[in-house]
Amino acid sequence: DAKTTQPPSMDCAEGRAANLPCNHSTISGNEYVYWYRQIHSQGPQYIIHGLKNNETNEMASLIITEDRKSSTLILPHATLRDTAVYYCIVRGKGANNLFFGTGTRLTVIP
Amino acid sequence: DAGVIQSPRHEVTEMGQEVTLRCKPISGHNSLFWYRQTMMRGLELLIYFNNNVPIDDSGMPEDRFSAKMPNASFSTLKIQPSEPRDSAVYFCASSLMGAEDTQYFGPGTRLTVL
């Protein structure tokens, strides 16, 4: 599976959009981009995933660049409860493992 | 709808003792995964079951670790004998349609081996 690069930490003001970037320049054509988050002392929580097209669900939006070498997770209106470590994972079809790197620690500030 | 259920949430034991961690996957899911998380190594896959059959156990550290899935709604991860280096948070996850599908995680069991 392709490796991902994320900034180690970010801050976001409560109520503003949080934009979390992820670089995956070695991604292959059949590899998906997944986002999970882990709130302190809890299990990883699935957020969203996509292959080529932008995706949106009740939690977030995922924007994937046309060349698929990077993506951005957008939390449209961040709340204090969104403070967590966010993991960007590139996962190939048939891969049973989710490789969680070091992620981005997002702190939402009141 | 209940998510993945794990028990106990916390376990403290002494070195050499047997430890059994339990997991109930989401109803209807056919795949189950056991992960271990430590500060040093992050989140690691230990073993993966599909339709109650172990498919990939390459992440199981050594013979002291064993996992079973006697039916679709229950799995155990056993450590015998336990050692201090086994201290970690153990997560169970399940997916609806196999390993390629989205995995949903339980709350984890925090294991401390003294």
Side-chain angles (χ1 to χ4, degrees):
Chain A
D1 292 340
K3 183 179 178 180
T4 62
T5 303
Q6 299 178 251
S9 64
M10 291 181 63
D11 292 340
C12 177
E14 187 178 17
R16 305 296 292 268
N19 297 279
L20 293 93
C22 179
N23 287 324
H24 31 79
S25 58
T26 60
I27 192 169
S28 299
N30 64 350
E31 290 182 318
Y32 287 78
V33 180
Y34 275 78
W35 283 84
Y36 280 76
R37 72 181 182 184
Q38 190 169 22
I39 297 170
H40 182 62
S41 297
Q42 297 184 21
Q45 178 187 21
Y46 166 77
I47 301 174
I48 198 167
H49 75 282
L51 183 62
K52 295 180 181 178
N53 300 323
N54 298 336
E55 302 288 342
T56 295
N57 63 20
E58 65 278 4
M59 288 183 68
S61 295
L62 174 61
I63 309 298
I64 303 174
T65 57
E66 192 169 342
D67 63 7
R68 302 187 70 240
K69 293 186 177 182
S70 65
S71 60
T72 300
L73 178 74
I74 300 172
L75 307 178
H77 305 287
T79 71
L80 299 180
R81 289 178 295 179
D82 293 322
T83 292
V85 178
Y86 287 76
Y87 296 96
C88 170
I89 301 164
V90 171
R91 184 184 184 202
K93 192 173 178 64
N96 56 36
N97 195 3
L98 290 173
F99 177 71
F100 289 75
T102 54
T104 296
R105 183 174 296 278
L106 174 70
T107 303
V108 180
I109 302 169
Chain B
D1 186 21
V4 175
I5 298 172
Q6 293 187 245
S7 65
R9 293 295 311 276
H10 302 272
E11 176 80 35
V12 180
T13 190
E14 292 187 347
M15 182 174 62
Q17 296 298 306
E18 178 180 294
V19 175
T20 300
L21 311 181
R22 296 172 176 79
C23 175
K24 177 178 170 57
I26 295 172
S27 178
H29 282 198
N30 73 356
S31 295
L32 184 140
F33 309 80
W34 282 101
Y35 287 84
R36 176 173 68 176
Q37 186 173 37
T38 61
M39 289 291 291
M40 292 294 293
R41 300 173 67 92
L43 203 64
E44 307 171 278
L45 177 68
L46 300 177
I47 188 169
Y48 149 55
F49 291 86
N50 189 46
N51 291 321
N52 312 337
V53 177
I55 302 300
D56 181 1
D57 64 355
S58 59
M60 294 287 265
E62 46 196 275
D63 292 345
R64 298 184 298 106
F65 285 69
S66 63
K68 294 182 179 180
M69 192 164 186
N71 58 63
S73 59
F74 183 66
S75 176
T76 60
L77 178 67
K78 186 175 294 186
I79 308 172
Q80 166 63 21
S82 58
E83 297 181 3
R85 60 189 169 125
D86 301 330
S87 297
V89 181
Y90 290 81
F91 290 104
C92 177
S94 70
S95 68
L96 180 62
M97 293 293 290
E100 300 173 4
D101 202 357
T102 301
Q103 297 179 23
Y104 297 90
F105 286 75
T109 295
R110 181 173 296 276
L111 173 66
T112 302
V113 183
L114 303 174

